PDB file of all heavy atoms in Angstrom:
ATOM      1  N   GLY Q  40     120.040 119.780 116.311  1.00  0.00           N
ATOM      2  CA  GLY Q  40     119.946 118.433 116.497  1.00  0.00           C
ATOM      3  C   GLY Q  40     119.859 117.677 115.357  1.00  0.00           C
ATOM      4  O   GLY Q  40     120.391 116.540 115.167  1.00  0.00           O
ATOM      5  N   LYS Q  41     118.868 117.992 114.412  1.00  0.00           N
ATOM      6  CA  LYS Q  41     118.509 117.404 113.284  1.00  0.00           C
ATOM      7  C   LYS Q  41     119.743 117.400 112.314  1.00  0.00           C
ATOM      8  O   LYS Q  41     120.216 116.335 111.734  1.00  0.00           O
ATOM      9  CB  LYS Q  41     117.379 117.940 112.561  1.00  0.00           C
ATOM     10  CG  LYS Q  41     115.983 117.663 113.096  1.00  0.00           C
ATOM     11  CD  LYS Q  41     114.941 118.271 112.099  1.00  0.00           C
ATOM     12  CE  LYS Q  41     113.652 118.195 112.752  1.00  0.00           C
ATOM     13  NZ  LYS Q  41     112.632 118.957 111.971  1.00  0.00           N
ATOM     14  N   VAL Q  42     120.234 118.569 112.200  1.00  0.00           N
ATOM     15  CA  VAL Q  42     121.401 118.728 111.266  1.00  0.00           C
ATOM     16  C   VAL Q  42     122.703 117.919 111.878  1.00  0.00           C
ATOM     17  O   VAL Q  42     123.312 117.306 111.045  1.00  0.00           O
ATOM     18  CB  VAL Q  42     121.884 120.252 111.163  1.00  0.00           C
ATOM     19  CG1 VAL Q  42     123.147 120.366 110.309  1.00  0.00           C
ATOM     20  CG2 VAL Q  42     120.705 120.940 110.460  1.00  0.00           C
ATOM     21  N   GLU Q  43     122.862 117.893 113.071  1.00  0.00           N
ATOM     22  CA  GLU Q  43     123.919 117.091 113.691  1.00  0.00           C
ATOM     23  C   GLU Q  43     123.852 115.666 113.353  1.00  0.00           C
ATOM     24  O   GLU Q  43     124.772 114.927 112.921  1.00  0.00           O
ATOM     25  CB  GLU Q  43     124.064 117.404 115.278  1.00  0.00           C
ATOM     26  CG  GLU Q  43     125.229 116.782 115.759  1.00  0.00           C
ATOM     27  CD  GLU Q  43     125.252 116.847 117.427  1.00  0.00           C
ATOM     28  OE1 GLU Q  43     124.307 117.314 117.959  1.00  0.00           O
ATOM     29  OE2 GLU Q  43     126.256 116.549 117.825  1.00  0.00           O
ATOM     30  N   GLY Q  44     122.650 115.140 113.618  1.00  0.00           N
ATOM     31  CA  GLY Q  44     122.387 113.779 113.099  1.00  0.00           C
ATOM     32  C   GLY Q  44     122.581 113.465 111.843  1.00  0.00           C
ATOM     33  O   GLY Q  44     123.269 112.350 111.441  1.00  0.00           O
ATOM     34  N   PHE Q  45     122.156 114.308 110.879  1.00  0.00           N
ATOM     35  CA  PHE Q  45     122.452 114.210 109.491  1.00  0.00           C
ATOM     36  C   PHE Q  45     123.839 114.130 109.223  1.00  0.00           C
ATOM     37  O   PHE Q  45     124.337 113.322 108.495  1.00  0.00           O
ATOM     38  CB  PHE Q  45     121.648 115.377 108.785  1.00  0.00           C
ATOM     39  CG  PHE Q  45     122.078 115.391 107.325  1.00  0.00           C
ATOM     40  CD1 PHE Q  45     121.465 114.638 106.376  1.00  0.00           C
ATOM     41  CD2 PHE Q  45     123.062 116.303 106.906  1.00  0.00           C
ATOM     42  CE1 PHE Q  45     121.919 114.703 105.006  1.00  0.00           C
ATOM     43  CE2 PHE Q  45     123.324 116.392 105.575  1.00  0.00           C
ATOM     44  CZ  PHE Q  45     122.881 115.634 104.657  1.00  0.00           C
ATOM     45  N   LEU Q  46     124.634 115.083 109.711  1.00  0.00           N
ATOM     46  CA  LEU Q  46     126.114 115.124 109.418  1.00  0.00           C
ATOM     47  C   LEU Q  46     126.742 113.980 109.968  1.00  0.00           C
ATOM     48  O   LEU Q  46     127.712 113.421 109.429  1.00  0.00           O
ATOM     49  CB  LEU Q  46     126.682 116.432 109.941  1.00  0.00           C
ATOM     50  CG  LEU Q  46     126.263 117.737 109.233  1.00  0.00           C
ATOM     51  CD1 LEU Q  46     126.738 118.991 109.840  1.00  0.00           C
ATOM     52  CD2 LEU Q  46     126.586 117.670 107.806  1.00  0.00           C
ATOM     53  N   ARG Q  47     126.334 113.465 111.137  1.00  0.00           N
ATOM     54  CA  ARG Q  47     127.050 112.246 111.714  1.00  0.00           C
ATOM     55  C   ARG Q  47     126.702 111.107 110.837  1.00  0.00           C
ATOM     56  O   ARG Q  47     127.553 110.122 110.758  1.00  0.00           O
ATOM     57  CB  ARG Q  47     126.404 112.032 113.117  1.00  0.00           C
ATOM     58  CG  ARG Q  47     127.115 113.069 114.048  1.00  0.00           C
ATOM     59  CD  ARG Q  47     126.954 112.625 115.496  1.00  0.00           C
ATOM     60  NE  ARG Q  47     127.334 113.776 116.402  1.00  0.00           N
ATOM     61  CZ  ARG Q  47     128.637 114.096 116.727  1.00  0.00           C
ATOM     62  NH1 ARG Q  47     129.649 113.341 116.310  1.00  0.00           N
ATOM     63  NH2 ARG Q  47     128.865 115.134 117.544  1.00  0.00           N
ATOM     64  N   ALA Q  48     125.581 111.005 110.232  1.00  0.00           N
ATOM     65  CA  ALA Q  48     125.214 109.804 109.258  1.00  0.00           C
ATOM     66  C   ALA Q  48     126.066 110.042 107.998  1.00  0.00           C
ATOM     67  O   ALA Q  48     126.313 108.955 107.357  1.00  0.00           O
ATOM     68  CB  ALA Q  48     123.710 109.821 108.926  1.00  0.00           C
ATOM     69  N   LEU Q  49     126.376 111.386 107.529  1.00  0.00           N
ATOM     70  CA  LEU Q  49     126.955 111.535 106.255  1.00  0.00           C
ATOM     71  C   LEU Q  49     128.545 111.198 106.329  1.00  0.00           C
ATOM     72  O   LEU Q  49     129.118 110.672 105.464  1.00  0.00           O
ATOM     73  CB  LEU Q  49     126.719 112.873 105.863  1.00  0.00           C
ATOM     74  CG  LEU Q  49     127.296 113.326 104.484  1.00  0.00           C
ATOM     75  CD1 LEU Q  49     126.815 112.406 103.376  1.00  0.00           C
ATOM     76  CD2 LEU Q  49     126.891 114.839 104.227  1.00  0.00           C
ATOM     77  N   TYR Q  50     129.028 111.760 107.432  1.00  0.00           N
ATOM     78  CA  TYR Q  50     130.525 111.653 107.552  1.00  0.00           C
ATOM     79  C   TYR Q  50     131.078 110.726 108.586  1.00  0.00           C
ATOM     80  O   TYR Q  50     130.357 110.439 109.549  1.00  0.00           O
ATOM     81  CB  TYR Q  50     131.114 113.014 108.086  1.00  0.00           C
ATOM     82  CG  TYR Q  50     131.002 114.156 107.089  1.00  0.00           C
ATOM     83  CD1 TYR Q  50     129.884 114.957 107.091  1.00  0.00           C
ATOM     84  CD2 TYR Q  50     131.971 114.326 106.122  1.00  0.00           C
ATOM     85  CE1 TYR Q  50     129.787 116.030 106.123  1.00  0.00           C
ATOM     86  CE2 TYR Q  50     131.900 115.222 105.113  1.00  0.00           C
ATOM     87  CZ  TYR Q  50     130.792 116.175 105.109  1.00  0.00           C
ATOM     88  OH  TYR Q  50     130.678 117.144 104.167  1.00  0.00           O
ATOM     89  N   ALA Q  51     132.214 110.056 108.254  1.00  0.00           N
ATOM     90  CA  ALA Q  51     132.783 109.049 109.146  1.00  0.00           C
ATOM     91  C   ALA Q  51     133.336 109.537 110.400  1.00  0.00           C
ATOM     92  O   ALA Q  51     133.262 108.823 111.501  1.00  0.00           O
ATOM     93  CB  ALA Q  51     133.770 108.326 108.323  1.00  0.00           C
ATOM     94  N   ASP Q  52     133.653 110.777 110.478  1.00  0.00           N
ATOM     95  CA  ASP Q  52     134.158 111.420 111.666  1.00  0.00           C
ATOM     96  C   ASP Q  52     133.108 112.490 112.257  1.00  0.00           C
ATOM     97  O   ASP Q  52     132.138 112.893 111.475  1.00  0.00           O
ATOM     98  CB  ASP Q  52     135.465 111.941 111.574  1.00  0.00           C
ATOM     99  CG  ASP Q  52     135.547 113.151 110.563  1.00  0.00           C
ATOM    100  OD1 ASP Q  52     134.607 113.854 110.306  1.00  0.00           O
ATOM    101  OD2 ASP Q  52     136.607 113.247 110.070  1.00  0.00           O
ATOM    102  N   GLY Q  53     133.234 112.912 113.518  1.00  0.00           N
ATOM    103  CA  GLY Q  53     132.267 113.734 113.981  1.00  0.00           C
ATOM    104  C   GLY Q  53     132.745 115.375 113.754  1.00  0.00           C
ATOM    105  O   GLY Q  53     131.966 116.115 114.151  1.00  0.00           O
ATOM    106  N   GLU Q  54     133.754 115.589 113.143  1.00  0.00           N
ATOM    107  CA  GLU Q  54     134.264 117.004 112.960  1.00  0.00           C
ATOM    108  C   GLU Q  54     133.231 117.898 112.308  1.00  0.00           C
ATOM    109  O   GLU Q  54     132.866 118.921 112.842  1.00  0.00           O
ATOM    110  CB  GLU Q  54     135.451 116.941 112.147  1.00  0.00           C
ATOM    111  CG  GLU Q  54     135.951 118.310 111.682  1.00  0.00           C
ATOM    112  CD  GLU Q  54     136.894 118.946 112.881  1.00  0.00           C
ATOM    113  OE1 GLU Q  54     137.424 117.973 113.621  1.00  0.00           O
ATOM    114  OE2 GLU Q  54     137.020 120.132 112.860  1.00  0.00           O
ATOM    115  N   PRO Q  55     132.643 117.486 111.242  1.00  0.00           N
ATOM    116  CA  PRO Q  55     131.615 118.373 110.581  1.00  0.00           C
ATOM    117  C   PRO Q  55     130.463 118.781 111.523  1.00  0.00           C
ATOM    118  O   PRO Q  55     129.802 119.819 111.627  1.00  0.00           O
ATOM    119  CB  PRO Q  55     131.124 117.750 109.433  1.00  0.00           C
ATOM    120  CG  PRO Q  55     132.245 116.827 108.933  1.00  0.00           C
ATOM    121  CD  PRO Q  55     132.834 116.393 110.248  1.00  0.00           C
ATOM    122  N   ALA Q  56     129.986 117.706 112.303  1.00  0.00           N
ATOM    123  CA  ALA Q  56     128.823 118.012 113.268  1.00  0.00           C
ATOM    124  C   ALA Q  56     129.259 118.852 114.366  1.00  0.00           C
ATOM    125  O   ALA Q  56     128.429 119.630 114.805  1.00  0.00           O
ATOM    126  CB  ALA Q  56     128.274 116.622 113.716  1.00  0.00           C
ATOM    127  N   GLN Q  57     130.493 118.792 114.788  1.00  0.00           N
ATOM    128  CA  GLN Q  57     130.875 119.546 116.013  1.00  0.00           C
ATOM    129  C   GLN Q  57     130.857 121.090 115.638  1.00  0.00           C
ATOM    130  O   GLN Q  57     130.700 121.965 116.515  1.00  0.00           O
ATOM    131  CB  GLN Q  57     132.327 119.284 116.443  1.00  0.00           C
ATOM    132  CG  GLN Q  57     132.364 117.944 117.050  1.00  0.00           C
ATOM    133  CD  GLN Q  57     131.519 117.884 118.339  1.00  0.00           C
ATOM    134  OE1 GLN Q  57     131.627 118.889 119.040  1.00  0.00           O
ATOM    135  NE2 GLN Q  57     130.804 116.837 118.556  1.00  0.00           N
TER     136      GLN Q  57
END
Side-chain angles (χ1 to χ4, degrees):
K41 285 183 192 178
V42 175
E43 181 180 13
F45 168 79
L46 292 177
R47 289 191 188 281
L49 181 61
Y50 289 97
D52 62 27
E54 177 83 23
Q57 287 299 317

